[in-house]
């Protein structure tokens, strides 16, 4: 009897989560059956980092399915706002965590999780507070509403050690402007995952949109 083949190893993480790809798809799933084919399409298009937001009842199950069946994906959990969600997400297979904001309680839970994390900020004071706590990589949210590229440019001078993943109001048209900033490692967005394409199971279209997004920074 032949021995079963070992399960494929998950894709390795780079030194910085922000260096995985220029764009992190922000995924909201209502049907767990869409999780694996969607993840495969995004990975095939060159976007391996996939943030599944904890906004729907199937989110944790979707993370679990992607982690188990799409080894080339680096699946993470987004909209993480409690220590309980930190534990549940990591247990489901999340390899990174993203929060829209942070508190000391949430920050310590994310730090203790053992996986990379991006706490959300929208003010200079929040950035300075995180730098004091040894955190240099952050989510800038809601990016457009909080000042957009002009705000991030203003932060680069006094706080060059902080790097950001801006999310919120970013699409194919303005993503290159964000990606051109020295303190932006990547951006988060949903434009490569149109709802009608997901509903129709048009994974070919999503893969093509993902490939366009992956090419935004050559």
């Amino acid at each position: 009897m032949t021995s079963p083949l070992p399960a494929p190893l998950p894709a390795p993480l780079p030194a910085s989560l922000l260096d995985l790809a220029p764009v992190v798809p922000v995924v909201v799933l209502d049907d767990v059956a869409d999780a694996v084919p969607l993840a495969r399409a995004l990975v095939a298009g060159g976007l391996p980092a996939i943030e599944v937001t904890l906004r729907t009842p199937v989110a944790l199950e979707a993370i679990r399915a992607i982690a188990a069946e799409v080894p080339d994906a680096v699946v993470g959990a987004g909209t993480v706002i409690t220590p309980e969600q930190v534990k549940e997400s990591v247990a489901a297979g999340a390899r990174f965590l993203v929060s829209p904001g942070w508190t000391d309680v949430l920050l310590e839970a994310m730090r203790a999780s053992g996986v990379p994390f991006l706490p959300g900020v929208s003010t200079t004071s929040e950035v300075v507070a995180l730098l004091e706590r040894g955190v240099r990589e952050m989510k800038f949210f809601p990016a457009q509403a909080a000042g957009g590229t002009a705000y991030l440019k203003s932060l680069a001078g006094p706080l060059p050690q902080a790097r950001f993943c801006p999310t919120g109001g970013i699409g194919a048209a303005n993503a290159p402007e964000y990606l051109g900033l020295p303190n932006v490692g990547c951006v988060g967005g949903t434009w490569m995952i149109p709802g009608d394409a997901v509903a129709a199971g048009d994974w070919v279209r999503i893969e093509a949109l993902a490939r366009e997004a992956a090419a935004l920074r050559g």
Side-chain angles (χ1 to χ4, degrees):
M1 181 180 296
T2 58
S3 301
L5 293 174
L9 295 174
L13 286 173
S16 168
L17 183 61
L18 302 185
D19 295 332
L20 269 170
V23 180
V24 176
V26 180
V27 177
V28 181
L29 286 168
D30 295 303
D31 187 344
V32 72
D34 293 328
V36 168
L38 175 60
R40 286 175 175 157
L42 292 170
V43 170
L47 300 181
I50 301 170
E51 176 188 336
V52 177
T53 67
L54 302 184
R55 302 181 193 176
T56 66
V58 303
L60 289 172
E61 188 178 353
I63 290 171
R64 191 172 292 109
I66 294 170
E69 299 185 45
V70 193
D72 289 334
V74 179
V75 63
T79 322
V80 176
I81 58 174
T82 69
E84 292 75 19
Q85 288 178 330
V86 170
K87 293 177 182 178
E88 292 169 347
S89 298
V90 174
R95 299 180 63 198
F96 65 91
L97 304 168
V98 183
S99 68
W102 66 277
T103 65
D104 279 320
V105 171
L106 179 59
L107 186 66
E108 288 312 307
M110 291 193 292
R111 198 193 299 271
S113 71
V115 302
F117 56 91
L118 295 174
V121 297
S122 61
T123 69
T124 306
S125 294
E126 290 172 319
V127 176
V128 172
L130 283 177
L131 291 174
E132 283 184 350
R133 290 158 174 78
V135 178
R136 297 192 174 195
E137 298 188 345
M138 313 163 194
K139 171 179 177 172
F140 180 57
F141 175 82
Q144 282 292 95
T149 55
Y151 195 95
L152 287 169
K153 286 177 185 176
S154 298
L155 291 180
L159 302 171
Q161 64 271 54
R163 293 182 76 212
F164 301 94
C165 174
T167 304
I170 298 176
N174 62 356
E177 185 178 358
Y178 280 93
L179 291 169
L181 299 177
N183 55 350
V184 169
C186 62
V187 300
T190 62
W191 74 89
M192 74 299 299
I193 319 166
D196 59 340
V198 175
D202 192 349
W203 313 122
V204 172
R205 179 184 171 198
I206 289 174
E207 180 181 336
L209 290 170
R211 187 169 289 109
E212 293 174 2
L216 286 175
R217 180 187 291 161

